Amino acid sequence: MTSNFHTLKPTPLFTAGSASRPERDLLGERQVPADAYFGIQTLRALENFQITGITLNHFPKLVKALAMVKKAAARANCELGYLHKDLAEFIGIACDEIIAGKLHDHFLVDMIQGGAGTSTNMNTNEVIANRALELLGHEKGDYKKVHPNNHVNLSQSTNDVYPTAINLAILLSYSDLVDAMEQLCQEFDKKAAEFSSVIKMGRTQLQDAVPMTLGQEFAAFAATVREDVDRVKELVELFKEINMGGTAIGTGINTDPDYGQLVVAALSDISGIDFVCAENLVEATSDTGAFVIFSGVMKRIAVKISKICNDLRLLSSGPRAGLNEINLPPMQPGSSIMPGKVNPVIPEVVNQVAYQVIGNDLTITLAAESGQLQLNVMEPVIAFNLLQSMRLMTQAMNTLAHRCVSGITANEHRCRELVENSIGLITAVTPFIGYENATRIAKEALNSGRSVKELVLEEGLLNEEELNDILQPENMTRPRKVALKGKA
């Protein structure tokens, strides 16, 4: 009987005739590429977790965050006398190189992995240890001099290093997201000013409602995005509380009593971010609530942006058989069979990004719920989806701002034509002629195809001067005091 399951082919680590070095772990001895900065535990993770093909180095700020955490631990352990000054110095230099962007191509573990992030932690430990060995003049793999666990991972566990690094990676990344949101708002603001005098028909339930300006529509787009800039800035504060010093389950086993405060202070200094030690480290070690809340805001942003893109596609539909109130900038030919067709490709791609982010939020929610007892082993998929959501939304909003919104133009004549022919004008007239008269006029206009203005004048309900004043765009698109007929 044959199986239909086909395993992914492992990533080739050796080329023909390449040199290797032996390394040992709990499970035995393996050959590691001689020039690799990673070691045997990373090698096993590369074999075990051929999952997404998206590796740690796809998220450079996560790699930098891991190095910052390791440098902070080395500094605290040195200050307490547990790590020799020379070892701490060269571990720190190796970390600085990684923070500067070097050696990232040796962070090869898949973002989704078993072991609650242990493979990520060990990949980091091994790269730092082997680079420190090289700096000290020793061969890679000579772990008697600098050991991944005994020295680089001293006073640490994956269970405090990994969530702290995720928190730090979010804090290092969120400004890009905020910048993208603010740039998108600025582009909407520019269009709001540009279209401030373009009268158009507002719609509810896809039916004619009341007049508005195209500028008001774009100003609303800016406002709905801008309010979440503040939400993002508020919520990232949650990630400044970390569980460093809690080690395995939050009890601080294998650490000095002063280590926790020292390592948090060191990380604050290295990163430039004011971290605080969680009040209850046991709770903080298993809690993923901050990720859930932040992901919820990412979903909210995605939903809003997707709705805006739906509106842009509707408003630009046509060009002859749709609304055709605005023109999106043409970015590429739209069809292999229909000549002249141009599609709204930028809003379409942003819609798809939004769907991905919404799905990521569900994954994060389920993963956060799946933690048991003193640890949530699903943190790798939480980290992957949350960092991915931030990056996707950042890139999508930049794309929307610069490759779509900035180039939108208005079809002013078409917008006005739709207003003048719309039965929705009757709403503006209703306070002056009464609801019953307005209902009758609206029905007659719909049945006969004649305009509201024509019918009101014909019945003598208002004179032309009065009606022209009521139907002026500025009088229909904002509140104003009026003297109503028949007012008591």
Side-chain angles (χ1 to χ4, degrees):
M1 183 176 180
T2 59
S3 171
N4 290 325
F5 177 76
H6 299 281
T7 58
L8 292 170
K9 292 182 179 179
T11 303
L13 299 173
F14 296 93
T15 57
S18 62
S20 64
R21 65 177 189 262
E23 290 196 17
R24 293 189 62 83
D25 65 4
L26 172 69
L27 302 183
E29 183 174 299
R30 293 293 303 275
Q31 293 295 315
V32 177
D35 60 350
Y37 286 94
F38 61 78
I40 186 171
Q41 293 209 40
T42 301
L43 177 68
R44 294 194 189 281
L46 294 178
E47 295 170 343
N48 290 334
F49 307 127
Q50 295 276 325
I51 305 299
T52 66
I54 300 175
T55 52
L56 297 176
N57 54 26
H58 282 73
F59 294 94
K61 289 180 180 177
L62 175 60
V63 175
K64 292 179 182 182
L66 287 160
M68 289 181 182
V69 172
K70 294 297 175 179
K71 182 178 180 180
R75 183 184 294 182
N77 282 315
C78 179
E79 187 172 341
L80 291 167
Y82 294 103
L83 189 64
H84 192 278
K85 184 178 179 181
D86 288 344
L87 285 182
E89 179 183 353
F90 283 100
I91 288 172
I93 293 172
C95 291
D96 285 337
E97 291 182 352
I98 296 168
I99 294 166
K102 299 179 181 178
L103 302 175
H104 284 213
D105 54 345
H106 291 267
F107 287 79
L108 295 173
V109 176
D110 199 290
M111 283 293 294
I112 297 183
Q113 57 195 255
T118 296
S119 295
T120 294
N121 188 33
M122 286 308 303
N123 193 166
T124 306
N125 290 333
E126 289 172 344
V127 171
I128 293 170
N130 281 306
R131 179 56 182 149
L133 283 169
E134 194 172 57
L135 290 167
L136 285 163
H138 300 292
E139 296 292 325
K140 297 185 189 73
D142 186 9
Y143 295 139
K144 291 180 182 178
K145 309 296 183 181
V146 183
H147 195 280
N149 297 82
N150 296 339
H151 300 125
V152 182
N153 200 63
L154 181 62
S155 304
Q156 302 152 65
S157 164
T158 295
N159 303 343
D160 58 357
V161 167
Y162 189 59
T164 296
I166 298 170
N167 283 17
L168 178 50
I170 292 169
L171 289 163
L172 293 174
S173 303
Y174 88 93
S175 61
D176 293 336
L177 173 67
V178 168
D179 287 346
M181 295 174 72
E182 290 178 336
Q183 286 180 38
L184 180 58
C185 289
Q186 289 170 13
E187 293 300 330
F188 283 136
D189 285 336
K190 290 177 185 177
K191 293 300 166 182
E194 182 181 341
F195 303 149
S196 61
S197 62
V198 179
I199 190 73
K200 61 156 288 177
M201 205 65 203
R203 298 175 180 86
T204 58
Q205 293 144 295
L206 296 179
Q207 307 299 303
D208 296 358
V210 296
M212 65 185 303
T213 68
L214 189 59
Q216 287 174 318
E217 195 160 26
F218 276 77
F221 293 157
T224 195
V225 176
R226 184 170 283 117
E227 66 183 11
D228 278 333
V229 171
D230 292 335
R231 300 294 82 73
V232 170
K233 290 178 178 179
E234 290 168 5
L235 287 176
V236 292
E237 294 295 314
L238 295 173
F239 298 112
K240 294 182 179 180
E241 180 183 278
I242 57 176
N243 70 326
M244 280 302 290
T247 63
I249 64 169
T251 60
I253 191 171
N254 293 350
T255 65
D256 186 281
D258 295 325
Y259 169 79
Q261 293 299 327
L262 286 175
V263 73
V264 171
L267 185 58
S268 298
D269 179 62
I270 292 164
S271 66
I273 297 169
D274 293 328
F275 286 102
V276 295
C277 188
E279 185 175 336
N280 187 315
L281 289 173
V282 174
E283 182 274 338
T285 302
S286 63
D287 178 48
T288 53
F291 301 133
V292 175
I293 295 173
F294 193 72
S295 177
V297 170
M298 292 303 304
K299 180 179 73 172
R300 176 168 130 154
I301 295 168
V303 168
K304 289 183 175 186
I305 295 295
S306 188
K307 188 270 182 189
I308 290 171
C309 287
N310 291 340
D311 287 353
L312 294 177
R313 291 194 292 125
L314 275 172
L315 294 172
S316 65
S317 61
R320 299 287 177 85
L323 296 183
N324 192 31
E325 292 186 350
I326 63 172
N327 305 302
L328 304 185
M331 303 309 297
Q332 61 191 62
S335 174
S336 63
I337 189 173
M338 293 173 280
K341 189 169 187 286
V342 178
N343 295 326
V345 294
I346 301 303
E348 287 172 354
V349 75
V350 176
N351 278 130
Q352 292 172 73
V353 167
Y355 307 153
Q356 181 66 51
V357 171
I358 292 166
N360 286 354
D361 178 68
L362 177 58
T363 298
I364 290 165
T365 301
L366 293 173
E369 186 274 336
S370 295
Q372 298 94 23
L373 304 176
Q374 278 69 59
L375 181 66
N376 190 318
V377 302
M378 307 301 174
E379 282 186 349
V381 80
I382 292 175
F384 173 56
N385 280 276
L386 190 49
L387 293 173
Q388 183 192 62
S389 289
M390 293 178 70
R391 183 165 69 185
L392 285 173
M393 286 308 302
T394 298
Q395 293 174 171
M397 286 189 285
N398 281 330
T399 300
L400 182 62
H402 302 302
R403 301 191 70 80
C404 181
V405 177
S406 65
I408 291 174
T409 57
N411 293 323
E412 187 169 356
H413 176 75
R414 170 66 171 167
C415 289
R416 179 171 287 275
E417 178 184 50
L418 290 173
V419 172
E420 291 175 350
N421 291 329
S422 173
I423 296 169
L425 281 179
I426 198 66
T427 302
V429 181
T430 300
F432 302 91
I433 66 174
Y435 191 86
E436 289 184 358
N437 282 333
T439 301
R440 180 172 46 78
I441 293 289
K443 184 176 181 180
E444 176 62 22
L446 183 62
N447 290 335
S448 66
R450 299 169 69 189
S451 72
V452 167
K453 183 176 181 181
E454 180 183 358
L455 292 170
V456 170
L457 290 175
E458 182 179 281
E459 293 194 15
L461 297 171
L462 293 168
N463 63 45
E464 188 163 6
E465 182 181 357
E466 291 172 324
L467 193 55
N468 286 339
D469 177 66
I470 294 166
L471 297 181
Q472 282 186 17
E474 59 268 26
N475 291 337
M476 292 191 292
T477 59
R478 62 188 181 192
R480 70 166 182 155
K481 290 184 179 296
V482 294
L484 303 181
K485 284 189 173 182
K487 183 178 177 181

